[in-house]
Amino acid sequence: MLAEAADCDPALVAYHFGSKQGLFAQVTALLLSPAEVVQRALPGPPELLGERLVSQVIIAWEDPETGPRLAQLLHAALEDPRLLAAFREYVDAEISHRLVEFFGGGSARDQTASVLTLIVGIIFGRYVIKSDALSQLPAERYRRALTPQAIAATRVRPKRPF
């Protein structure tokens, strides 16, 4: 989709940038791509991935260089449908897919949906719309407050009969 939107051969994207992730990081001039935030959180016990992801997201968004660039990217994507479509494709390919693979098993998609919902809520609530209740807490206190939800988001849930 990215190469199509740019009206170029997909091989050119791979040749010049190595991957869509590389292109995305270059275009947005990010010091740390969103997929790298996820990649940094993956090592460790699966049941604590939510907590690690929350920590990595907060670290990235609190960084004085990375945070404003991430915010600019999101604001631009919300204003441009083509950029939003490219960003959505990036999130699906580079983040969601990676999380589903990490979790594996029958509940992997549910766990991924839970974690991404929590992360999107953090980003929009604290850093985009800047809700006072969220943005005024010190970062470490905010992270600690989210730890129970982060752990619950990655917990494997038994299937219930309907």
Side-chain angles (χ1 to χ4, degrees), residues 30-47:
L30 294 177
L31 301 173
L32 180 66
S33 75
E36 288 176 294
V37 172
V38 171
Q39 189 60 39
R40 288 180 178 188
L42 290 179
E47 65 274 10

Side-chain angles (χ1 to χ4, degrees), residues 21-97:
Q21 181 179 349
L23 170 64
F24 194 75
Q26 286 292 320
V27 167
T28 58
L30 294 177
L31 301 173
L32 180 66
S33 75
E36 288 176 294
V37 172
V38 171
Q39 189 60 39
R40 288 180 178 188
L42 290 179
E47 65 274 10
L48 298 178
L49 176 63
E51 183 177 4
R52 293 190 307 273
L53 273 170
V54 166
S55 292
Q56 289 299 317
V57 166
I58 291 171
I59 288 167
W61 280 84
E62 291 290 327
D63 183 90
E65 290 186 37
T66 305
R69 290 180 180 178
L70 289 168
Q72 286 175 335
L73 167 66
L74 281 182
H75 286 291
L78 293 173
E79 293 177 9
D80 182 343
R82 290 187 315 170
L83 182 56
L84 182 59
F87 187 65
R88 186 180 306 113
E89 180 183 346
Y90 172 81
V91 169
D92 288 344
E94 299 293 335
I95 297 173
S96 297
H97 181 71

Side-chain angles (χ1 to χ4, degrees), residues 62-158:
E62 291 290 327
D63 183 90
E65 290 186 37
T66 305
R69 290 180 180 178
L70 289 168
Q72 286 175 335
L73 167 66
L74 281 182
H75 286 291
L78 293 173
E79 293 177 9
D80 182 343
R82 290 187 315 170
L83 182 56
L84 182 59
F87 187 65
R88 186 180 306 113
E89 180 183 346
Y90 172 81
V91 169
D92 288 344
E94 299 293 335
I95 297 173
S96 297
H97 181 71
R98 192 171 292 170
L99 289 172
V100 168
E101 283 181 353
F102 177 84
F103 288 123
S107 64
R109 291 194 185 282
D110 294 344
Q111 290 170 286
T112 298
S114 293
V115 168
L116 287 179
T117 299
L118 180 62
I119 298 303
V120 168
I122 291 168
I123 292 168
F124 275 86
R126 184 174 172 96
Y127 302 106
V128 176
I129 65 170
K130 299 181 181 182
S131 165
D132 285 346
L134 306 178
S135 63
Q136 291 183 0
L137 284 176
E140 181 57 23
R141 186 170 163 199
Y142 183 59
R143 186 200 62 74
R144 282 194 318 269
L146 291 169
T147 296
Q149 293 87 347
I151 292 170
T154 57
R155 188 173 300 129
V156 176
R157 293 158 191 83

